Amino acid sequence: MLHDDVAWLLRTARRFARDEVLREQVAFARGAGDAPPVDPAVVARWESGQVAPSYALVERYETVLGLPQGQLLTAVDTLARQEEPVRAQPALPPPRPAAPSARALQLLERALASESMTAADWDELSALMAGMSHVLIRAGDSEALLRRAQLEMSVSTGLDYARRTEAIARLAGHPQIAPVIVDLASATLEDPDAQVYSEIVALLNFTGMPGAGPLLARHVESPVNANALRAALFTAASQVRRRRLPAELTARLCRLAWEHLTSEHSSYRVRRSAANLIRAVDEPTRHRVAEAVLDGDRDSAAAAVLLGEGALPRTAAQRVMEQVRGHLVEVLGEPLEQHPTLLRLLDQAAQDTNEESRGSALAVLMLCPVAPALGRAYGQQLRLSLAEGDRVGAHEALSVLTWMPQPHDLDLLTDLAVGASPAGAGDEDLPVEASWAVGNCPEPDRSTAAAREERLAARVAELADEPGLDAEGRDRQLTALAYALGMRGRTDLLAGGPDLPAWRSSADWWLQLPDYVRPQAGVPLA
């Protein structure tokens, strides 16, 4: 399948080239002065999957098309990891330097010494270490390496985020580093002030080390907060889906997930993750859970969900995706059936019950050349869902826009983040997701960015005195607003704000970031 996926990726990259001349196969074959010319028939074979992809081939497309280094190669790695999650090597191995051990040691020392490391450096270090399965590295250094990489990933966006994510997944699969993953995930889940849970806990899926199941069950049962709970739920769903856990533990997780799914105190995102865990089990286990949880009441609606019986209504995600597909057909100028890889990724992004798989699909879509068109389409769907009062549809649109927000939608996203949109009234999760999207959308124009950031800071002050607001919902919004301001490098605004524990712990996390990691206003981390 990877050959076909890479062929589609290369073909799409050429067809959406910024230089319209290079969109033609003949012109691209000439190499644009950046690569040796080839016969156009060779390009046709590359783009039809008749030739096995290689690092040099994908790199040629990046070079000739003027794409950022690693954009297509990282997309290939992300596609490959869907099929092989535990893997220390790059999908397409790069050329080795003359002295790989010396270069790896140089990069490792830089990372452990808190010197500057770009996303490209992490990509190179993880690839080099993959070829050194017997490299000696102390457990403390392994943990320090992972923590630094995770810290940088948590304040990165776009390609830099994806490259660091792939590098961390490779490191997690390295036999000398994997043993520290369970302890690292445990420490994170036990920390109520952690700003990043999901990415660290999800590392359990990229290592074959034992101990993940009991750890996740413990924190699904007694989470320190909603973000830790959601991370434990969706990581457990991946473990269940891959049949890594014994039946008894799977049944226990499903019972716990059912309690969160039916609790009126659970947020939309927690309920979604709980439902996904239940739907990840095999049918016999689902039946056993239904009998235990529902006491044999097979006529209830709850039983229908657990057992997977009955006709299910068309979901909001499916409704949104149908509209998005219509927008993409206009952009592509041809039926989506001619793009089977794109169709599969869109279906995963909209309907996959496993959030790891869904996130992987969104990462590939973010890196592929149709991302701006896809982001615009979801922005339109967000507006439509809000106008129609479709809250679930709005959540689904925002879940994509956190990956690929478009500057065109920043005003709407800001209105939602600060509670200024009537369409978002009464929903405490919409401002949270909108704040994430605002934080992830670069805005180099400081003339508009500064005013936007002042509005975010003003909302922080308002939340401290807003009557009738659920304390947990307020805290989630404060944490999300701190994220938006932190990603935009506004340490001056983070230093102020109310003397509330949720705000101070979030703001202080950003203020205490090392200089080599902390985002600067208008300058994304490289």
Side-chain angles (χ1 to χ4, degrees):
M1 180 184 291
L2 186 62
H3 284 199
D4 293 336
D5 288 346
V6 175
W8 167 80
L9 183 67
L10 299 180
R11 184 170 65 253
T12 306
R14 175 180 57 78
R15 293 189 56 192
F16 279 81
R18 288 192 295 269
D19 185 342
E20 294 185 7
V21 173
L22 293 174
R23 296 177 185 178
E24 297 298 326
Q25 200 171 77
V26 173
F28 177 82
R30 297 191 188 104
D34 295 311
V38 297
D39 191 283
V42 174
V43 176
R45 289 197 293 274
W46 290 341
E47 297 181 1
S48 60
Q50 298 178 48
V51 177
S54 66
Y55 183 94
L57 173 59
V58 179
E59 187 180 46
R60 175 192 173 102
Y61 271 74
E62 292 178 348
T63 302
V64 174
L65 296 175
L67 296 173
Q69 179 193 21
Q71 179 171 331
L72 299 181
L73 286 162
T74 304
V76 172
D77 272 315
T78 307
L79 284 164
R81 198 163 290 281
Q82 290 186 335
E83 302 298 323
E84 191 181 5
V86 182
R87 172 176 52 79
Q89 301 81 14
L92 303 176
R96 302 282 283 180
S101 297
R103 176 58 177 163
L105 181 60
Q106 179 188 40
L107 289 169
L108 184 60
E109 288 178 343
R110 279 172 52 188
L112 294 175
S114 301
E115 295 181 25
S116 177
M117 288 280 286
T118 66
D121 290 333
W122 284 108
D123 178 69
E124 183 183 5
L125 173 60
S126 62
L128 288 170
M129 291 188 67
M132 305 173 187
S133 59
H134 301 295
V135 64
L136 293 178
I137 180 169
R138 295 175 299 180
D141 287 342
S142 293
E143 182 173 344
L145 189 69
L146 286 169
R147 284 192 177 278
R148 170 164 181 186
Q150 286 281 355
L151 185 63
E152 292 191 15
M153 182 194 66
S154 67
V155 297
S156 302
T157 59
L159 172 59
D160 292 333
Y161 171 88
R163 293 187 88 174
R164 286 185 170 94
T165 300
E166 170 59 21
I168 292 167
R170 292 177 197 161
L171 293 172
H174 194 286
Q176 299 299 318
I177 296 177
V180 308
I181 299 295
V182 174
D183 289 342
L184 181 59
S186 178
T188 301
L189 287 170
E190 291 169 0
D191 182 2
D193 296 324
Q195 297 300 297
V196 178
Y197 290 96
S198 298
E199 288 86 350
I200 296 176
V201 180
L203 287 178
L204 295 168
N205 294 328
F206 303 129
T207 176
M209 297 300 296
L215 168 67
L216 294 169
R218 187 165 70 249
H219 289 281
V220 169
E221 184 171 18
S222 301
V224 296
N225 57 39
N227 288 333
L229 170 59
R230 181 172 171 270
L233 281 168
F234 88 67
T235 304
S238 292
Q239 297 278 318
V240 169
R241 186 187 197 190
R242 296 190 179 114
R243 310 293 182 254
R244 290 188 180 180
L245 306 180
E248 182 179 347
L249 184 55
T250 296
R252 179 187 170 201
L253 280 164
C254 286
R255 293 188 188 97
L256 294 170
W258 181 256
E259 293 174 7
H260 291 298
L261 178 63
T262 55
S263 171
E264 63 181 13
H265 301 296
S266 295
S267 69
Y268 170 82
R269 292 170 69 83
V270 166
R271 289 197 302 272
R272 193 185 202 282
S273 296
N276 288 343
L277 192 158
I278 294 171
R279 293 178 64 184
V281 303
D282 57 88
E283 187 172 343
T285 303
R286 202 157 52 223
H287 277 258
R288 288 197 298 272
V289 173
E291 294 295 336
V293 173
L294 303 167
D295 196 24
D297 181 13
R298 296 176 60 86
D299 294 327
S300 70
V305 173
L306 276 173
L307 297 171
E309 298 172 347
L312 296 175
R314 192 166 59 114
T315 66
Q318 288 171 317
R319 293 195 301 272
V320 169
M321 180 50 66
E322 288 170 5
Q323 298 293 327
V324 168
R325 285 183 177 184
H327 294 306
L328 288 179
V329 168
E330 293 181 14
V331 172
L332 294 170
E334 58 192 23
L336 283 178
E337 286 68 27
Q338 297 185 25
H339 298 264
T341 298
L342 178 58
L343 271 176
R344 189 186 80 244
L345 292 170
L346 290 172
D347 284 341
Q348 283 181 302
Q351 303 177 56
D352 202 306
T353 59
N354 180 267
E355 296 196 40
E356 179 196 330
S357 177
R358 186 171 189 257
S360 175
L362 285 168
V364 177
L365 290 169
M366 174 183 71
L367 294 170
C368 81
V370 300
L374 189 59
R376 288 192 296 271
Y378 269 99
Q380 293 178 24
Q381 286 312 301
L382 174 61
R383 288 178 168 77
L384 180 61
S385 295
L386 291 172
E388 295 178 346
D390 179 5
R391 294 295 176 86
V392 176
H395 282 294
E396 292 298 329
L398 277 170
S399 71
V400 175
L401 290 173
T402 58
W403 285 86
M404 50 193 90
Q406 302 299 305
H408 172 74
D409 296 317
L410 269 173
D411 288 344
L412 171 61
L413 293 170
T414 304
D415 285 345
L416 286 171
V418 303
S421 171
D427 190 324
E428 295 172 355
D429 287 321
L430 283 177
V432 170
E433 294 160 4
S435 295
W436 292 340
V438 172
N440 290 342
C441 188
E443 190 177 12
D445 185 352
R446 296 306 304 164
S447 64
T448 58
R452 191 181 316 285
E453 291 147 10
E454 292 287 350
R455 289 186 68 195
L456 297 173
R459 179 57 179 163
V460 171
E462 292 172 2
L463 284 170
D465 302 317
E466 191 165 308
L469 189 63
D470 172 70
E472 185 176 343
R474 180 198 63 193
D475 290 349
R476 289 201 305 273
Q477 291 186 53
L478 288 171
T479 299
L481 287 165
Y483 175 85
L485 291 170
M487 289 296 287
R488 286 166 164 262
R490 295 304 303 269
T491 53
D492 56 327
L493 297 176
L494 287 165
D499 190 21
L500 293 172
W503 170 253
R504 278 274 52 93
S505 64
S506 298
D508 288 347
W509 185 90
W510 286 95
L511 292 170
Q512 293 166 10
L513 285 176
D515 290 340
Y516 61 84
V517 172
R518 185 184 301 121
Q520 303 298 316
V523 184
L525 186 66

